[in-house]
Structures are given as structure tokens and as C-alpha cells.
Amino acid sequence: MQSMFPRISLFALFMLPACATPVPPPNTPPAESSLYQAKRVCLNTYQTQPGQVAESNMGKLMKCLAKATQKYGRQAYGPYAPIYMEGASKGVEAAQYLHEGLYTPDQFGSEIGLIQEQENSAILQKKAQMNAPLDPILQPVPANP
């Protein structure tokens, strides 16, 4: 029965904010706060000591973080959400490799670092695309008075 407790408490904690408050607008501190709180619940649930997660809990933690990103990421990250969602799914995959013994803990840590670097690079590219001027052919032609 104790094994059910974390699952039930996580579900309740994820559902409570959704029932109690309206959805915050995208890319705002309240939206980011919802995501941060959900990720904090994941970490508090699966860490064995502050800042430490047992290897056996790493897959559960990464799945929890991915679910939090799926649920709150669109609001918190706006146009960058797909980048973070892809990173979260890669993190789940890396945790699976750790569980299967295909990665050592050091390799897992390196993979997570690589995923974060890829996310940062993709965000910079997306920002550059969003701020880049349109090609001259695609720019609107001013109306003649």
C-alpha cells in the first residue's frame, strides 16, 4: 500500500493547482511557477537525500519531470515548449539506459548535460529565427497613397 502513496499524492498535487486556479497566460511568472512547483514535487518525491536521487529512482524522476513539462511546459515556455518537451523525453530515454545498465551514472550525467546543451542551442536558433527579418520578397509591400 505504501508504493501507491507517491503516485496518489503526485496525482493530487498535480490536479490541485488545475482545479483551484485559472490557467495563467503563457510566458509569465505564474506559468513558470506552476511548472517549477510541479518539478519540485517530482524531485522531493524521488530524492533520497537533498540533491541525491537513487539510481533506481532516476527513471521515475525523469518520467515525472517529463509529465510536468508536458502539462505545464506549453504555458511556461511558450514557443520554446517543443524544445523542452523533446529534451524531457530524451532524459527519460537516458534514464532507461541507466536502468538497463547501458549507461554508467557518469555517462547518464554526461548525457543529461548534452541534452541541456542541445536545448540551449535550439533555443538560441529559435530566437534568431523569430528575430530575423523576412526575406525582401516576403516583406509586405507598402500601399501607395
Side-chain angles (χ1 to χ4, degrees):
M1 198 68 174
Q2 286 181 336
S3 64
M4 293 292 290
F5 182 73
R7 190 172 295 154
I8 292 169
S9 64
L10 279 177
F11 178 74
L13 288 173
F14 278 126
M15 293 307 296
L16 183 62
C19 297
T21 59
V23 176
N27 293 335
T28 61
E32 291 173 4
S33 178
S34 295
L35 176 64
Y36 176 77
Q37 288 173 1
K39 286 185 173 188
R40 174 58 56 198
V41 167
C42 292
L43 186 59
N44 288 341
T45 300
Y46 293 110
Q47 67 184 357
T48 54
Q49 295 178 9
Q52 293 184 351
V53 177
E55 196 172 311
S56 60
N57 285 345
M58 193 56 70
K60 296 172 189 173
L61 172 63
M62 297 309 283
K63 285 178 187 175
C64 184
L65 293 174
K67 287 179 182 179
T69 301
Q70 288 174 347
K71 182 168 183 169
Y72 298 106
R74 283 185 178 80
Q75 289 300 112
Y77 297 130
Y80 306 106
I83 295 167
Y84 286 105
M85 288 180 185
E86 182 180 347
S89 67
K90 287 180 180 179
V92 170
E93 186 178 328
Q96 181 65 33
Y97 290 158
L98 176 68
H99 176 72
E100 293 171 0
L102 299 173
Y103 280 170
T104 65
D106 287 340
Q107 289 171 322
F108 174 74
S110 294
E111 184 66 19
I112 295 300
L114 179 63
I115 291 167
Q116 290 173 341
E117 287 178 22
Q118 290 171 344
E119 285 175 345
N120 291 338
S121 176
I123 289 168
L124 290 175
Q125 288 177 348
K126 179 104 176 157
K127 283 182 180 180
Q129 289 171 351
M130 290 170 50
N131 293 330
L134 298 173
D135 291 335
I137 297 171
L138 300 177
Q139 290 182 352
V141 177
N144 288 336

